[in-house]
Each structure stands twice: as structure tokens, then as C-alpha cells.
Amino acid sequence: MGEVNAAESKTPVASAAGDDDLIEIIGMHKWYGDFHVLKDINLRVKRGERIVICGPSGSGKSTMIRCINRLEEHQKGQIIVDGIELTNDLKQIDAIRREVGMVFQHFNLFPHLTVLDNCTLGPIWVRQTPKAEAEATAMEYLSKVKIPEQAHKYPGQLSGGQQQRVAIARSLCMNPRIMLFDEPTSALDPEMIKEVLDTMVSLAETGMTMLCVTHEMGFARTVADRVIFMDGGEIIEENEPEEFFGNPQHDRTKLFLSQILGH
Amino acid sequence: MSEVAQHYPPGQHPDMPPPAGQRGVLLWLRTNLFSSWINTLMTIVAVYLLYKIVPPLLDWAVLDAVMNAANRDECRQLGSGACWAFINDRFSILVYGFYPAAERWRVDMSFILLCLALVPVLFDHVPFRKPGLIFSCVYPLIAGWLLLGGFGLQPVGTDEFGGMMLNTVVGVTGIAFSLPLGILLALGRQSHLPIVKSCSVCFIEFIRGVPLITLLFVASTMLNYFLPPGTTFDLLLRVLIMVTLFSSGYIAEVVRGGLQAIPKGQYEAADSMGLKYWQSMRLIVLPQALKISIPGIVNTFIGLFKDTTLVLIIGLLDVLGIGKSSLADAQWNGLSNEIYVSIALFFFIFCFGMSRYSIYLEKKLDKGYKR
Ligand SMILES: Nc1ncnc2c1ncn2[C@@H]1O[C@H](COP(=O)(O)OP(=O)(O)OP(=O)(O)O)[C@@H](O)[C@H]1O
Ligand SMILES: [Mg+2]
């Protein structure tokens, strides 16, 4: 796993494990200054796979999934998304970002635009979709997240749960192949968590490839194909949910699970 | 009354007006003018001051004022108030400067067209906005042609510009060009590209560290040293460039303040959608940052407009310069109040207009955000 080479990155990299891998992370490291925040991350995500990432605060979960769409830059190793390797090439970054939707902890809706405009902005400007078509698609997704009647309001006029569902709809309007979620429910009041999780469950049922950082273990049990546990910038353990929760291998996993499920 | 005591079954309660004394003029008076003894005292003092100031002012400016007279002495015989006859007599030179009398319709025309060009820029629900904006974009060319002549119109040199027209030309040009330039500088200052960033920083800091008068002197004299000998470079043009650069430095800092108030999450959301840098600036960041910066931007514009009087120092006769030189006229000796009040009024109308517009704009843009 050598340094990234610009010449070889021009052509899509054929992965060894077959075409089914949408995301491949191979020996990836990242530093913030001298601080080694991600250490030798290896991860393959198949098309349609749903992965939940958990771990204590500061373990590098956000940093890892933000590397996948280049909100953060990795310094060593390879990240290959949908056959395109992430390098400094802006074209490739844009190509990957078009295919990867992201939902943030604090929604990050655009406050000066209506809900509908939030949803159509990406399709219109990035995918050059005609406005009418983009609006029709947006209304469709807003119906799927059950808030079509809020389309002409501004984000500031919605509840947190509604805002997060708009954020999900906004990402889906770009018709992404992969959805990244970074603690989508942790800024929400308990009664709103369920509505957002329900939206995510129904999204999972459509076969969307999802990487989700969350502490909602119920969600992980019902939806995830695999649960990944991170600590100290490393992937400590990786297993199917039943095994992961029923029979954790690593001491740190056990400790974490006892803390999070204990109360 | 029985109405107050009456009980209604749950869910049946009608809407009622608030009790007497809780609404109308009396309530307003009580809460706003006489809510405490300090408030009452201030109300009384204010009324007394108004009584002392307003009637005499009215007498001077309107009731005892003289509109038509041949000279100062005649004025004094006709009335004890303001001698507006003086302003009447000097009106055209105060407005047009030395612009040839036969060609002054061109100044009027460009002012009317300016107002038309501003409408689609300032208001968004007007008919024909799209073609209107195109007109606004070509307006500078039309105005330049009208004012300077050529192509069928008699040429007028910029040394014949003067009066309010000169202030308006300098002010409007400065405002129109310093806003985009200032925004670019603000973005440059935030840039990750080191050269762009350091150029912007140097430029902004230089501009802010030097008085406008110095820049105007540089424009009027020193530029000749730097330009190849024999090049003529219109003085007014140099002034326009200096004024624009000067206020763009201030605009840049105001806009930077707005940019810094935009949360990082907005940039990240825009990036993660795949928007390009200029797209995310234009669609996401600038609309929000400029909205926050409106008061500061308008403040800078108002300052710029008033600073146009500084061109007096390098020998251009703006409205203040012409007013001052009119005072030297033996026929109208010593009527400085009238002149300065009129000039103040001219500036006040423009600046107050800008201020009101900015309030309107803030209110309009605020609607969406608030619950
Ligand atoms: N921009 C940055 N500069 C320096 N250090 C950073 C930066 N961002 C994050 N870190 C550090 O990197 C580590 C991993 O951060 P990260 O946000 O990925 O954690 P996390 O697992 O998502 O935690 P949480 O559950 O609290 O969100 C933390 O120790 C954090 O302090
Ligand atoms: Mg995090």
C-alpha cells in the first residue's frame, strides 16, 4: 500500500475483490498535525451493504467517514469509491461527491432557501437537471420522508426531526449510490429520534448502501449487515450485529457495550 | 359585567377583545411616553425643545423665506427668513457644474435612466425584471456616452463636470464597482491559495491604512511619475479609480465579517453535494454572508457618498466647491446658511434613501429565517 500515485489514479482502479465493492479503504492513515487520528484503516463495503460504525467519543468515526467524500484528506493509503480513487484531482473528488450523499449531525440545511430549494439545488447545479424535473423528484422524496406539506417553508420553521428528514431527502435528490450518516440523531430530542430512524430504516429497505455512525444500537441490530467498532483511531472489531452484541471479542468492545447498553 | 364572569364549555371560548385601557391611543401614550417619572420628565423636556426649535426654524425656512429676488439686499427687504432666491439663482450651476447649458438634458436623461436601471437591481418583484437587469448592466456604457458625448453627441470634457452631478457620478460609480471588487477581495482574503490571499491582505491593509485624501493627491499628482511620459489620463477617471479602490477595501472587511459568521457546516454541506467553489460561494455562502453584512455595506456606501466632497481638495468643483465659491459673489455676500443647508439636504436625501433601503432589504431577507 504505497503512496498514492497520480498517474495510476487516472484510470479507475479495478478492485481485486470484484465489482461488488462500492467502497474500498486500504491501509488508510490520517494525521491532524502530529496527531495520528486514523491508523491503518481497512474496510470494504459491498453494494447494498448497511454498516453501522460505533465507538467512544474521539475515536475517529466522523473523521473516517468524512474521508470517504474528501471533507477530510487522508495522508496515506488508498480510498476507492465506486471504482474511482480519491486523490487531489478535483475532477475525481467532484465525481465521487456526486455519488456520495452525506447527512450531518447538525443537519446543515441552507437557511436562506426553502425546503424545496434545498432539495433541488444539487440536482439543478451539479447534475444539470431541469428545474421542473428536479422539483418533481424533490417532492417525491419529501413525500417519502413524510413532509411534503413543508416544502415551501424555510428550515428555521421546522422542528429538528423534520429538518433532519429534509436533510436526508436533500441527499437522496442527488440520487447517490452511497449514503453517509454522521450521528444523524444525536442532536435530536428523544421523541424526534424515532421519526428519523424510521426514515433511515425505510431507506435501508430500498437497498441503499449506507455507512452510519450512530449510537442507536436498536437501529444497528435491526438494519446493519455489519457493525464496526472503532477506538483510538483503529478498527478494533467488525462483525455481524448478532455476534457483535451477543459475543463481543475484544475487551474494549465489551467495555463500550456495557457502558452504552448498561443504562 | 356578566360577560367577564361567564364560563364557556371547554373548546367553545370565543375570541374577545382585550379589556379597555389595554389597547388604543391611551395605552400607547402610557407605555411609550409616561411609563415612569423619568420617561414623563423626558417627554416634557422633549416637547419643550421641539416648541423652542421647530417654530423658529419653520419661520426661517418657509414662512419668512424669500423665493425670488435679484440680490441679497432685495432679499433682506422682502423678508427676514432664508433667502432661497440665492439658491434659485445658483441652482443650475450647483446641479450641473460647468456642463454646457445646451447639453444639460443629457445629465437629466442619464439621471432618469439611472433611476430606471436601479429599479430591477433593488427590487425583485417588478415587471420585466430580466430585461431590466440587462439594461442595468449596460447602463454604465449608456451613461458614459450621454455624459461624455461622442458618437453623434457633442463631446463634453470631464473638467466641465461639477456640482451635484459630479458628486453623483463619483458616488454611484464608486458604489457600483466597489461592491463586486470588495466581495472578490473578501473571498481572496479567505482563500487557501497563498498568493491570492497575501495580495488581498496587502491591498486591504494598505487601503485602510491610508487616508482617502492622500490617495486623491496621489491620483492628481504622483500618478504622473509612474505613467509613461506623454500619457494623458483623465483626472476624473483617476479619482473614480481611487474612490472605488478605497471603498472596496472597506467593503472587503465588512463582507469578511459576514463570511466568518457562516458556520463551517454550510461549506461542508455544499462541498458534499459536489458544488464547485464558485457555485457554493454564489448559491450558499454569499447570499447569507451579504445579508449579515448589509448594515456595514450601506454604512460604507453612505460614507463613500459623503466623501465625494473631498475631491474639492484636488481642484474638482463638486457641489460643496461650487457652493463655497458662490459665497464669494459680492451680490449674494454672506448667505452661507442657505447654501450649506441646501447642500446638506442634497446629501441627506441620498444617504437617508440608502439607509431606508437597507432597512427594507434586511426586513425582506429576514422573513425566511425567523419562525
Ligand atoms: N480539525 C481537527 N484538528 C485537530 N484534531 C481534530 C480535528 N477534528 C477532530 N480532531 C480530533 O480527532 C479525533 C477524532 O475526532 P472525530 O470527530 O473523528 O471523533 P468521533 O469518533 O467522531 O467522536 P464523536 O463521537 O465525539 O463525534 C478527536 O480526538 C478530535 O479531537
Ligand atoms: Mg463525530
Side-chain angles (χ1 to χ4, degrees), chain A residues 120-151:
Chain A
T120 56
L121 188 103
I124 288 175
W125 292 94
V126 178
R127 292 217 187 270
Q128 276 83 37
T129 315
K131 190 164 183 241
E133 193 186 322
E135 283 182 353
T137 317
M139 286 312 296
E140 203 175 293
Y141 282 113
L142 286 174
S143 309
K144 280 195 182 145
V145 302
K146 305 207 174 60
I147 36 174
E149 72 282 0
Q150 313 283 8

Side-chain angles (χ1 to χ4, degrees), chain A residues 57-58 60-63 66 105 182-183 213:
Chain A
S57 180
K61 310 176 296 287
S62 301
T63 311
R66 287 158 61 88
Q105 180 174 0
D182 190 1
E183 306 202 28
V213 177

Side-chain angles (χ1 to χ4, degrees), chain A residues 168-211:
Chain A
I168 295 173
R170 176 175 74 175
S171 294
L172 293 177
C173 284
M174 285 291 288
N175 197 14
R177 290 166 178 238
I178 302 164
M179 285 284 284
L180 308 175
F181 293 84
D182 190 1
E183 306 202 28
T185 55
S186 50
L188 297 176
D189 293 337
E191 72 266 28
M192 296 172 186
I193 291 180
K194 188 173 176 303
E195 62 187 51
V196 172
L197 288 181
D198 286 347
T199 309
M200 290 168 64
V201 170
S202 47
L203 177 62
E205 283 162 2
T206 64
M208 174 68 74
T209 310
M210 291 164 69
L211 263 82

Side-chain angles (χ1 to χ4, degrees), chain B residues 105-124:
Chain B
W105 63 271
R106 283 155 51 178
V107 178
D108 299 340
M109 191 70 189
S110 40
F111 186 74
I112 292 168
L113 290 180
L114 170 68
C115 297
L116 285 180
L118 281 178
V119 170
V121 177
L122 299 183
F123 304 99
D124 51 2

Side-chain angles (χ1 to χ4, degrees), chain A residues 66 69 71-72 94 97-98 100-102 104 107-113 118-119 121-122 125-126 128 154-160 163 170 174, chain B residues 262-277 279-288 291 364-371:
Chain A
R66 287 158 61 88
N69 64 352
L71 288 184
E72 304 288 351
D94 283 340
R97 283 177 175 168
R98 277 198 290 273
V100 179
M102 184 153 196
F104 300 85
F107 331 133
N108 295 352
L109 294 176
F110 305 130
H112 62 301
L113 299 175
N118 263 279
C119 293
L121 188 103
W125 292 94
V126 178
Q128 276 83 37
Y154 286 88
Q157 297 166 310
L158 305 184
S159 76
Q163 290 193 43
R170 176 175 74 175
M174 285 291 288
Chain B
I262 307 299
K264 213 171 145 235
Q266 295 287 309
Y267 293 88
E268 290 178 351
D271 282 349
S272 69
M273 271 186 179
L275 289 173
K276 304 239 167 28
Y277 174 80
Q279 287 178 329
S280 57
M281 286 303 141
R282 194 169 82 72
L283 300 167
I284 310 296
V285 177
L286 283 177
Q288 297 181 60
K291 185 200 154 247
K364 191 187 83 181
L365 295 179
D366 240 14
K367 267 186 213 150
Y369 292 68
K370 299 259 161 73
R371 273 182 185 248

